Amino acid sequence: MIMRVVNERSLAVPLAPVLQNLDSDPCDVTSLTSLPSLQAPADFKALVRRFYALQAERVEAYKLFEEGHDAYLRTGPHYDFDHYRQLVHEITQAFSGISQEVLQIKEQLHQDCDRPDLSEHIDKLQAKEKEKLELTAKLQLAKQNVQDHPEDEDCGQSVQELKQKIIKNKESLSEILQDFKYDCEEPE
């Protein structure tokens, strides 16, 4: 079973304003209005760190998906489809959860941090990630076809073509992430 660990962010209250308020009249509740809000806009750096952590989770999920598919292929010619279907279900849930959280970060970057440039990068990234997942599924089917029909050269050619498409997709993803990183480092 694949488990996705989500790091919960906690909002820390800076102690300096709290300590200053303790020195004032303890009955004066107006001094409490200067306490930092726990509903403050999302911390930009924390959002960016979480975004990168989610990308690392995606990479790990792909590794597990590939390992699971390789194990599935080893069960041929009478494939253990039940276990593979369970793997696909768990991987799909993991990718869905990652995508949902990335989209939340995208919205926070756009709305709370006023960084539409970064949310645009995330839009592009999400589209490429979707394409990568589709290509990966096609590649897995093509690999099974090669195993089931070793005499069919078209099957082998299909695998090579899909591998090339995945390489190009990964290059595009790297470029988008590089642009994201560059734009994160630019002053607003």
Side-chain angles (χ1 to χ4, degrees):
M1 173 181 253
I2 297 171
M3 306 258 328
R4 187 169 164 266
V5 179
V6 178
N7 296 331
E8 296 295 328
R9 285 186 301 130
S10 60
L11 298 173
V13 176
L15 289 178
V18 174
L19 294 175
Q20 288 172 350
N21 288 329
L22 290 177
D23 292 335
S24 61
D25 180 358
C27 297
D28 182 10
V29 293
T30 58
S31 65
L32 295 177
T33 59
S34 65
L35 287 173
S37 169
L38 293 178
Q39 300 300 321
D43 177 42
F44 176 77
K45 288 182 181 180
L47 288 173
V48 171
R49 279 192 303 272
R50 184 65 189 142
F51 170 74
Y52 285 125
L54 290 166
Q55 284 304 112
E57 284 184 34
R58 277 189 205 197
V59 169
E60 189 60 32
Y62 272 110
K63 285 180 188 174
L64 293 172
F65 198 24
E66 288 297 319
E67 290 170 6
H69 185 257
D70 290 344
Y72 167 71
L73 288 179
R74 287 192 298 273
T75 65
H78 305 290
Y79 298 103
D80 184 359
F81 187 70
D82 290 337
H83 282 99
Y84 182 66
R85 180 178 42 216
Q86 181 63 32
L87 170 70
V88 169
H89 174 73
E90 291 173 6
I91 290 292
T92 301
Q93 285 183 320
F95 281 134
S96 177
I98 291 167
S99 289
Q100 287 174 5
E101 195 170 345
V102 166
L103 290 174
Q104 289 173 349
I105 289 171
K106 177 193 130 193
E107 287 303 312
Q108 288 178 301
L109 287 171
H110 188 85
Q111 301 298 325
D112 298 346
C113 301
D114 194 28
R115 294 300 304 265
D117 56 331
L118 298 179
S119 63
E120 186 177 316
H121 292 312
I122 291 176
D123 275 337
K124 291 176 187 175
L125 182 96
Q126 287 291 95
K128 285 294 179 186
E129 287 289 358
K130 180 181 179 201
E131 178 186 317
K132 181 181 177 187
L133 186 56
E134 291 168 356
L135 289 169
T136 300
K138 288 178 183 179
L139 177 62
Q140 290 181 353
L141 288 172
K143 285 181 177 180
Q144 184 175 342
N145 284 335
V146 165
Q147 185 166 309
D148 293 344
H149 309 286
E151 70 288 344
D152 189 348
E153 291 180 17
D154 289 341
C155 291
Q157 182 64 30
S158 178
V159 167
Q160 293 308 314
E161 289 171 4
L162 286 164
K163 284 182 178 181
Q164 288 302 312
K165 287 180 181 180
I166 289 174
I167 288 169
K168 288 182 191 238
N169 175 277
K170 287 180 179 180
E171 289 170 354
S172 294
L173 285 168
S174 291
E175 289 174 16
I176 294 166
L177 286 169
Q178 191 65 32
D179 290 344
F180 182 88
K181 180 182 178 200
Y182 176 78
D183 287 347
C184 281
E185 293 170 354
E186 276 187 356
E188 295 179 40

